[in-house]
């Protein structure tokens, strides 16, 4: 008399193994997985650094705007801007092209 091997435990353990591997793979590389999270955190850090750079640039421009306003006129800054933007030179200066 031949006995057949029990296929039930093989199916049960095989299904458990497959589901475990599937969920492990999805947890690591899926849309909400670890790799996506690390990539999103790196992108967020880069965007925060860019934001800080823009905040510093805005603060610098606000400072220059304040210094050129009617209430607070910085003659050195005005002279520098006139030279840079308009090409002004004093009479006692020599221009070397």
């Amino acid at each position: 008399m031949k006995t057949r091997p029990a296929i039930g435990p093989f199916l049960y353990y095989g299904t458990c193994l497959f589901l475990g591997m599937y969920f492990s793979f999805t947890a690591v590389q899926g849309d909400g997985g670890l790799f996506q999270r690390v990539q999103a955190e790196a992108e967020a850090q880069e965007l925060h650094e860019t934001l800080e750079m823009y905040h510093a640039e805005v603060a610098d421009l606000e400072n220059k705007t304040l210094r050129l306003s009617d209430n607070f006129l910085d003659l050195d800054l005005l002279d520098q801007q006139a030279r840079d933007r308009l090409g002004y030179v004093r009479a006692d200066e020599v221009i070397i092209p």
Side-chain angles (χ1 to χ4, degrees):
M1 177 174 213
K2 284 186 167 181
T3 60
R4 287 191 294 169
I7 197 160
F10 287 118
L11 287 177
Y12 175 75
Y13 289 119
T15 303
C16 288
L17 179 65
F18 173 75
L19 289 175
M21 289 173 41
Y22 172 75
F23 287 127
S24 297
F25 178 79
T26 303
V28 173
Q29 294 198 0
D31 288 338
L34 294 175
F35 289 147
Q36 290 292 329
R37 182 179 176 142
V38 169
Q39 184 179 11
E41 288 176 356
E43 185 177 346
Q45 179 65 28
E46 182 179 325
L47 290 174
H48 282 296
E49 291 171 0
T50 304
L51 180 64
E52 290 298 323
M53 181 187 68
Y54 286 140
H55 280 302
E57 186 176 333
V58 166
D60 184 46
L61 290 174
E62 286 176 350
N63 183 25
K64 284 184 179 178
T65 303
L66 174 69
R67 289 169 52 193
L68 287 174
S69 68
D70 291 336
N71 297 336
F72 185 89
L73 185 59
D74 186 0
L75 295 178
D76 291 333
L77 180 63
L78 182 63
D79 183 53
Q80 175 193 356
Q81 292 296 323
R83 289 168 178 272
D84 290 344
R85 309 242 181 210
L86 302 175
Y88 282 0
V89 264
R90 284 188 246 151
D92 61 342
E93 293 180 334
V94 177
I95 300 174
I96 301 175

